Amino acid sequence: MDAVRVALLREVLAGTEWLGATRRFAGALRGSVVSHRGGLLLVGTPEYEPWHLAAHLVDEAAWSGTPELAPTLVRHDARPSDPAHLAVGLGRLEAARRGETLLVVAPQGPAAPLLERVSDARRAGVTVLALGPGQGELPSLAHETLAVPDGSELDLDTVQHLVGAAAGENALPVPRGRRRFRDRVARLAEHLTAPPPARW
């Protein structure tokens, strides 16, 4: 789905809860990967691998200048002979550590083996986000959840488009009156390293 179609979809959905919900979830995703800079892991279930969301986030990362949004797709049946970007297996979840973000996309509640890996990753300090039915054990493991139950107005694929597009949108500028500490230090360093003014 291209940017024009996403814009049209947003127009159709104006006044519904979906626009705010997808933007909030996308903001949590973007905030986690940008602030922690640890990388984004994306995993689905054995029956549903979120290929399309992975590709969309790679595009959004490039267009928005936010490389942290480009995910590593973790696959259930990855083989060493697969191309490098498709050869990352579930063992990567065991290696996940503090600062990384894990986005789990599941049309139905994931099975116990995946839930155990997600739980272990959370205990290791990984930020967990869930996109799926909103029931079962996964939402209780996630720091943020966007529920897409069966029978809702939008299907999971459409919601992924909205989340991906919103994650790539530029963040709102920081108000001038409340600068972050890092911004103040950068401004001071720029001032101290600037050449002296020319005198005539």
Side-chain angles (χ1 to χ4, degrees):
M1 189 178 291
D2 59 28
V4 173
R5 288 184 181 154
V6 169
L8 289 172
L9 179 59
R10 286 177 170 168
E11 203 172 300
V12 169
L13 295 172
T16 70
E17 64 184 37
W18 285 109
L19 288 184
T22 53
R23 282 194 164 124
R24 275 190 301 278
F25 187 80
L29 172 62
R30 182 181 176 121
S32 179
V33 297
V34 170
S35 64
H36 294 130
R37 298 191 183 275
L40 173 59
L41 303 174
L42 177 62
V43 68
T45 63
E47 303 78 26
Y48 185 89
E49 290 188 330
W51 301 85
H52 197 79
L53 179 58
H56 196 51
L57 285 171
V58 167
D59 290 343
E60 292 295 336
W63 294 330
S64 68
T66 312
E68 300 89 350
L69 281 175
T72 297
L73 180 62
V74 178
R75 300 182 58 224
H76 290 262
D77 62 351
R79 295 178 297 275
S81 60
D82 290 336
H85 69 289
L86 299 176
V88 179
L90 290 175
R92 179 62 181 87
L93 298 184
E94 294 168 11
R97 294 292 171 254
R98 181 173 303 284
E100 292 183 293
T101 301
L102 172 60
L103 174 54
V104 183
V105 180
Q108 291 88 31
L114 179 58
L115 287 171
E116 289 171 18
R117 291 174 191 260
V118 172
S119 178
D120 291 344
R122 181 178 168 126
R123 277 197 297 275
V126 175
T127 301
V128 178
L129 290 91
L131 186 55
Q135 299 173 356
E137 290 182 54
L138 182 58
S140 65
L141 293 174
H143 295 90
E144 289 285 334
T145 300
L146 179 55
V148 188
D150 280 340
S152 60
E153 303 89 354
L154 300 181
D155 63 6
L156 186 59
D157 288 337
T158 303
V159 171
Q160 289 178 71
H161 282 293
L162 291 170
V163 168
E169 291 175 342
N170 290 328
L172 295 173
V174 177
R176 290 197 50 80
R178 299 188 65 212
R179 293 190 180 174
R180 294 181 301 164
F181 177 72
R182 190 179 348 174
D183 295 333
R184 290 181 292 182
V185 170
R187 189 167 175 221
L188 177 62
E190 186 178 304
H191 177 72
L192 293 175
T193 58
R199 296 194 177 169
W200 303 100

